[in-house]
Amino acid sequence: MTLTMTLVRHGRTHFNARRILQGRCDSPLTRDGRAGVRATARHLARTPFTAAWASPSGRAVATAVELLRPHPDVPLRTDPDLREYAFGIYEQRPERVLDEVVAWPDLVTDVLAGTHPGLPGGEPGADFMDRTRDVFARIADTHRDGHVLVVGHGLALGAYLATVDEVGLVPLPNASVSTVEVEPDGTARITSLAVDVAGQGHVAARPMRTPTPVPSVA
């Protein structure tokens, strides 16, 4: 009765290639990005998917549709809570513009801890982490067993993985594959992490440090 979730980050986009923040805005897949997704689709062609979910962002849906071509009987559903973290006024701007305001490791550490108040016009870290936990809990509750494909974004998928294990935000290459197994009691474990089956590299994957655990209060 174990549920297996295969998490795939969307393919490389034009904004990824140009190091422009996307968040809630969107950008189409590049030619190389589409090729990477097709490589991941071939890798997952024999995976016995029983359900599929994606962020409603165009880049995630386009990726999911390609991944499901070998699985024509598996319908695709979207959930708005799988969307990427909202970067507010920094979306559609170069990553370096945000880096001049706050270091990426500091921002993401605070977002994962739920303590970041949110960038101007953006999303508070607590809200982001709450919806991320909630959407994966709903998926697990809807599918108690089987094998579910979930297509999403680098920070959003990484944030969920960080709730499963204290891995910090692992850089997820475009079209990379991570796998989580969820037991009926809700216990989850990561069984594979950021596997770059498409050979896309870390062009659009930003590293960060593992957050320091907060001591418990007796």
Side-chain angles (χ1 to χ4, degrees), residues 100-120:
E100 291 170 358
V101 177
V102 57
W104 179 258
D106 294 338
L107 171 66
V108 174
T109 297
D110 290 345
V111 168
L112 294 186
T115 58
H116 196 278
L119 298 166

Side-chain angles (χ1 to χ4, degrees), residues 23-139:
R24 296 293 181 84
C25 68
D26 210 5
S27 174
L29 303 186
T30 63
R31 179 181 299 179
D32 181 58
R34 292 193 298 271
V37 173
R38 288 194 292 269
T40 300
R42 291 191 294 271
H43 175 79
L44 297 174
R46 295 183 180 276
T47 303
F49 291 124
T50 52
W53 292 84
S55 157
S57 295
R59 59 194 186 274
V61 172
T63 298
V65 167
E66 189 65 41
L67 295 178
L68 288 175
R69 290 192 189 282
H71 310 274
D73 296 329
V74 179
L76 175 64
R77 285 179 275 187
T78 62
D79 192 305
D81 286 342
L82 287 170
R83 291 178 298 175
E84 182 61 294
Y85 178 72
F87 292 95
I89 65 172
Y90 294 98
E91 296 192 2
Q92 302 185 65
R93 303 180 72 182
E95 293 174 357
R96 58 178 171 75
V97 174
L98 178 58
D99 292 340
E100 291 170 358
V101 177
V102 57
W104 179 258
D106 294 338
L107 171 66
V108 174
T109 297
D110 290 345
V111 168
L112 294 186
T115 58
H116 196 278
L119 298 166
E123 182 176 20
D127 292 353
F128 171 66
M129 294 305 297
D130 284 347
R131 71 172 171 87
T132 297
R133 292 188 185 93
D134 288 348
V135 69
F136 279 96
R138 290 199 304 273
I139 291 172

Side-chain angles (χ1 to χ4, degrees), residues 117-205:
L119 298 166
E123 182 176 20
D127 292 353
F128 171 66
M129 294 305 297
D130 284 347
R131 71 172 171 87
T132 297
R133 292 188 185 93
D134 288 348
V135 69
F136 279 96
R138 290 199 304 273
I139 291 172
D141 190 57
T142 301
H143 311 284
R144 296 301 182 93
D145 57 9
H147 201 134
V148 178
L149 172 68
V150 182
V151 181
H153 307 273
L155 184 47
L157 294 178
Y160 169 65
L161 291 165
T163 70
V164 176
D165 197 353
E166 293 181 359
V167 293
L169 183 73
V170 174
L172 301 179
N174 289 117
S176 63
V177 177
S178 301
T179 309
V180 175
E181 292 185 352
V182 184
E183 300 296 338
D185 64 359
T187 302
R189 63 182 177 276
I190 299 170
T191 55
S192 68
L193 186 60
V195 181
D196 188 12
V197 297
Q200 295 286 274
H202 288 79
V203 170

